[in-house]
Amino acid sequence: MSPPPELALTEPALRKDAETIAVVGYVHGVSHFFHLVLPSLYPWLMREFGLSYTQVGVAMTLFFVVSGIGQALAGFAVDRFGARRVLLAGMGFLGLSTAVLSIAPAYPVLLLAGLLAGVGNSVFHPADFSLLNRKLPTARLGHAFSVHGVSGAIGWAAAPILVTALAAAEGWRVAALAASLVALSGIVLVLWRNDSTREAAPVRQQPHADAKPEGALAFLAVPEVWMCFAFFLAASTAFGALQSYLPTALDHGFGMPVTVAALAMSAFLLGTAFGTAAGGFVAGGRFGQDRVIAAALAFAALLAVLLAGGAMPQWAIAPMLGAIGFAIGMAGPSRDLLVRRAAASRFAQAAY
């Protein structure tokens, strides 16, 4: 007996959507992998070129400054050339950055590698979210954003392990060159599973007779855009501080050995990954994205205040950090859907 028509249509559609989510998730993991390639090589780079922490840190400053500026410009590039092409270009720049790093003869080339990696990293969020919004039905976006966040956490976790192990075994230049192969794998995957990221031509809708024309920068006049920007700025500052300084804070503030502090950091990152996965199930639920975000971040902030008070026994710090990470991750998919809703309510498909 043949399956019902609606099931026959649903199963291929589900497989197609799952493939799109998997491919976009993988390339997002690639971008996060490159966030930690340079920091993982700091000990070797400092010895090779006689650098201080400040000097090697300048390369990462370039990476994030270029990434921040580039993300705004990348959104226009996605609109002009398509998300798939921009995504491939971004991974190409990432691979080029570590290839250049692997043959760096002096410190200025190290800075060039950081700059190239920043250019590559800048494209992923505009391109990823544009693809997910265009290719997937709204009902699956919560899970898609969840996988997107989890894959990024996996990329963060993989980089220090793989890069430091290769650098210790074969040297930092081999480790840098191997990182280029990670970017190449993302390019190959996108080209191989071509249909999963191929975009249909956008449907041009006829504007209403009384509608005012919207320019390319019209979004800058929308208050919701600036509210989302302020939210992301505050959240990124807080989470970035945790990721960057948590081991040092646990060492100096709580007297934790470095190895134990590293385990506590791992608990935070794993908690973030599990929370992001769980957040996909509540993002599209009846509670509303704004309430989920507020409750999750309020809980994380309360635990952070308790932790900062210094009264917690050392054995409780890692579980508490895991809970903080879980709450932060839980808010992620709802955050992405909330931003999507705020943009789409004004600009419809042009918001993608």
Side-chain angles (χ1 to χ4, degrees):
M1 181 180 295
S2 60
E6 62 273 14
L7 182 59
L9 290 174
T10 299
E11 288 180 350
L14 178 59
R15 286 195 297 269
K16 184 179 178 182
D17 291 345
E19 183 176 296
T20 297
I21 293 171
V23 171
V24 174
Y26 183 85
V27 298
H28 186 234
V30 169
S31 77
H32 278 231
F33 181 91
F34 276 81
H35 289 185
L36 295 181
V37 169
L38 271 173
S40 298
L41 293 176
Y42 277 175
W44 290 272
L45 296 173
M46 291 170 69
R47 285 197 298 268
E48 178 80 14
F49 300 116
L51 305 176
S52 66
Y53 279 106
T54 302
Q55 288 174 305
V56 291
V58 170
M60 286 309 296
T61 299
L62 271 175
F63 173 87
F64 283 113
V65 168
V66 172
S67 291
I69 296 171
Q71 280 197 49
L73 301 176
F76 294 102
V78 168
D79 290 340
R80 176 68 178 83
F81 302 106
R84 183 173 174 275
R85 292 178 180 176
V86 173
L87 203 57
L88 289 169
M91 287 187 287
F93 272 104
L94 288 179
L96 178 62
S97 72
T98 47
V100 167
L101 177 63
S102 71
I103 59 171
Y107 177 60
V109 181
L110 171 62
L111 299 183
L112 174 62
L115 187 149
L116 290 171
V119 173
N121 183 66
S122 69
V123 311
F124 285 88
H125 282 177
D128 287 357
F129 287 125
S130 179
L131 280 172
L132 293 177
N133 278 309
R134 288 191 184 278
K135 299 282 290 185
L136 300 176
T138 303
R140 293 201 178 112
L141 283 177
H143 297 289
F145 293 158
S146 177
V147 171
H148 188 263
V150 170
S151 66
I154 293 173
W156 276 333
I161 297 172
L162 297 178
V163 172
T164 56
L166 266 175
E170 303 293 339
W172 69 268
R173 294 185 185 275
V174 172
L177 191 59
S180 296
L181 299 180
V182 175
L184 180 61
S185 72
I187 294 174
V188 170
L189 179 64
V190 171
L191 294 175
W192 176 43
R193 310 310 298 173
N194 183 51
D195 289 343
S196 63
T197 55
R198 179 185 291 152
E199 300 163 271
V203 178
R204 297 189 177 276
Q205 299 175 339
Q206 289 297 112
H208 296 291
D210 57 348
K212 295 180 180 179
E214 301 276 14
L217 299 177
F219 68 92
L220 293 176
V222 180
E224 289 86 348
V225 170
W226 291 105
M227 290 174 66
C228 290
F229 174 81
F231 170 73
F232 268 85
L233 180 64
S236 297
T237 301
F239 305 156
L242 276 174
Q243 287 181 321
S244 299
Y245 299 108
L246 185 57
T248 303
L250 293 176
D251 177 20
H252 292 282
F254 296 89
M256 271 189 157
V258 175
T259 52
V260 180
L263 289 175
M265 180 67 175
S266 296
F268 172 75
L269 292 174
L270 285 173
T272 303
F274 283 114
T276 303
F281 291 94
V282 300
R286 58 187 178 86
F287 300 106
Q289 288 92 26
D290 49 355
R291 294 180 182 179
V292 171
I293 296 168
L297 294 188
F299 180 70
L302 175 61
L303 292 182
V305 170
L306 292 175
L307 181 63
M312 303 298 299
Q314 280 200 8
W315 63 264
I317 291 176
M320 182 172 284
L321 285 169
I324 292 173
F326 185 89
I328 290 171
M330 176 71 73
S334 291
R335 172 203 67 191
D336 296 334
L337 281 175
L338 185 68
V339 172
R340 179 186 187 276
R341 189 180 73 189
S345 65
R346 172 66 182 267
F347 295 106
Q349 288 199 17
Y352 293 161

